[in-house]
Amino acid sequence: MKRILQLLAVFALVLAVNTAMGQGQPKIVFDSEVHDFGSFKESDGVQTTTFKFTNKGDAPLVLSNVRASCGCTTPKWTREPVAPGESGSIDVSYNPKNRPGSFNKSVTVSSNAENSTAILRINGKVEPREKTLAEKYPRKIGDLRVKSNYLSFAKIKKGEKATKELELVNDTDEPVEVGFRTVPKHLTAKVEPATIPANGTGNLIVTYDSDAADTYGFASHRIYLSLNGSNDYKNSVGVSATIEEDFSHLSAEELANAPVADFNETSFDFGDMKQGDKKEHTFTLTNNGKTDLIIRRVRSSCGCTAVAPSKSVIAAGETAPIKVTFDSRGKRGRQSKSITVITNDPKTPTSTLRISSQIVVPNAG
């Protein structure tokens, strides 16, 4: 800060002297305003170039500020006044760490010259360094490394089976035998090879049977591994899928006679609630189709929200209430919860209901 104040004082003094003596202004002229570093490796580290300039005016030149467009670019410059005809320099450095690819950065130079603002540019291309094993496989399952400890099957039609693989890396100097503690009934899992050699790799192969899952909508589970006979529950892999009913086989006539799920409303606000209170609201579901509407699954986004459909099969033209109870214990401020209702309506198989409230916490004392 002291240095900046000194420079500003020099700048003001030079300007005052020039004005009093009726002298002209300084003029900054760079040998070059652009530098291309070309292609270099990230491992080469910080790259630096020097922009040289000359004061071709008839008064002392003072650089008041040199500012880079990015924190990856660091400038250093001549701080003292540069007399007419004399030269100065600006060193500009670029740090390529974790910045692979092409770059084009600017440096703004402010001075008391007649051309008071000048723009310098640096560009180039950083060749990425080879990533370490830990960077390629950041997650750990015991002595094994993985890119992710989670397998997502995304959407699966009811009746389908899908298979995914997860690469397992043993970066230790001892082999690791991989077995299973628990595997959900709708999943089959195996590891090839069952014993992963020292500094070797293997694959966890998981097959998801959507029929055996016996549910609809989003479902998540865990496969618990046993490494060299260990019983550590931390050694697990998450598995998820969204199971959807397959309506592709329905004929035009079947679609015309299909059930239609129609809610009287899809959102309700309880307004202000005291923390700890419970409130209920009933949504009404009507089957405006021509065949039975079957509620496949009802799931709330929070354990604080209980949902109780009055029936799971609604005949054509019938209406069924769905009671929702919200428990505000432990909640505060604005709350918004969702309820997912999955039916056999081929046009709208998934409906989302929302409840909200403002939880008011009583003043202590």
Side-chain angles (χ1 to χ4, degrees):
M1 185 67 181
K2 182 178 179 181
R3 182 66 176 169
I4 294 173
L5 291 174
Q6 289 174 339
L7 285 173
L8 291 174
V10 171
F11 180 84
L13 179 60
V14 169
L15 184 62
V17 171
N18 289 345
T19 302
M21 298 179 63
Q23 292 182 356
Q25 285 186 297
K27 182 178 181 181
I28 188 169
V29 178
F30 286 91
D31 292 355
S32 174
E33 295 182 353
V34 179
H35 178 77
D36 185 354
F37 284 107
S39 180
F40 60 95
K41 296 179 180 179
E42 184 180 343
S43 57
D44 290 341
V46 176
Q47 303 293 300
T48 302
T49 187
T50 299
F51 290 93
K52 294 183 178 179
F53 63 86
T54 302
N55 179 6
K56 294 193 175 180
D58 51 11
L61 170 68
V62 177
L63 304 188
S64 56
N65 193 24
V66 179
R67 185 179 69 257
S69 62
C70 170
C72 56
T73 305
T74 306
K76 294 181 180 179
W77 65 94
T78 299
R79 303 282 182 164
E80 296 74 19
V82 179
E86 297 297 320
S87 298
S89 62
I90 299 174
D91 293 335
V92 178
S93 299
Y94 181 77
N95 187 351
K97 185 177 181 180
N98 298 324
R99 296 183 178 95
S102 299
F103 65 91
N104 189 330
K105 305 296 180 182
S106 64
V107 176
T108 302
V109 181
S110 301
S111 71
N112 65 332
E114 60 180 57
N115 49 332
S116 60
T117 301
I119 305 295
L120 307 178
R121 292 195 174 276
I122 57 169
N123 56 66
K125 185 176 181 180
V126 179
E127 298 175 14
R129 63 177 172 79
E130 181 68 22
K131 289 186 177 180
T132 65
L133 186 68
E135 289 174 321
K136 291 179 180 178
Y137 301 88
R139 302 285 185 180
K140 292 204 72 175
I141 302 176
D143 289 331
L144 302 177
R145 284 194 172 274
V146 291
K147 290 183 178 178
S148 171
N149 56 0
Y150 191 84
L151 283 174
S152 173
F153 283 83
K155 295 180 179 180
I156 302 179
K157 294 294 185 183
K158 193 70 170 177
E160 288 183 347
K161 291 183 179 181
T163 299
K164 282 187 176 291
E165 296 187 11
L166 180 66
E167 187 178 14
L168 307 174
V169 178
N170 177 9
D171 66 343
T172 72
D173 295 328
E174 299 292 335
V176 176
E177 182 181 358
V178 185
F180 299 94
R181 293 199 63 194
T182 57
V183 178
K185 64 183 178 70
H186 61 285
L187 302 176
T188 56
K190 61 181 179 178
V191 173
E192 295 181 349
T195 298
I196 302 175
N199 301 303
T201 63
N203 284 291
L204 170 64
I205 304 167
V206 178
T207 300
Y208 200 113
D209 184 343
S210 62
D211 265 345
D214 194 27
T215 190
Y216 288 85
F218 179 79
S220 62
H221 311 271
R222 298 202 77 81
I223 295 174
Y224 291 92
L225 305 178
S226 174
L227 305 182
N228 291 329
S230 73
N231 292 323
D232 190 345
Y233 274 96
K234 293 179 182 178
N235 300 332
S236 67
V237 175
V239 179
S240 70
T242 298
I243 303 172
E244 299 180 334
E245 191 162 353
D246 186 6
F247 299 106
S248 62
H249 64 280
L250 296 180
S251 66
E253 182 180 358
E254 287 173 320
L255 286 172
N257 292 319
V260 176
D262 187 13
F263 286 90
N264 65 324
E265 58 184 345
T266 56
S267 64
F268 182 79
D269 191 339
F270 287 110
D272 289 350
M273 287 180 63
K274 289 183 180 180
Q275 188 182 60
D277 284 354
K278 289 184 180 181
K279 285 192 176 183
E280 296 179 354
H281 178 71
T282 299
F283 292 94
T284 301
L285 173 59
T286 301
N287 178 7
N288 286 326
K290 298 179 181 178
T291 53
D292 287 350
L293 177 70
I294 303 172
I295 298 178
R296 301 292 194 193
R297 187 184 180 191
V298 178
R299 181 171 63 91
S300 61
S301 62
C302 174
C304 60
T305 308
V307 187
S310 61
K311 58 175 71 176
S312 58
V313 179
I314 306 170
E318 279 192 344
T319 293
I322 297 180
K323 185 172 70 174
V324 177
T325 304
F326 175 64
D327 186 346
S328 67
R329 283 181 300 176
K331 308 296 181 184
R332 60 175 60 230
R334 188 67 182 171
Q335 298 290 316
S336 180
K337 309 300 176 184
S338 64
I339 300 100
T340 302
V341 182
I342 300 174
T343 69
N344 65 332
D345 176 353
K347 291 184 178 179
T348 313
T350 302
S351 300
T352 302
L353 309 177
R354 298 190 184 278
I355 58 168
S356 55
S357 180
Q358 181 70 30
I359 309 302
V360 180
V361 181
N363 293 328

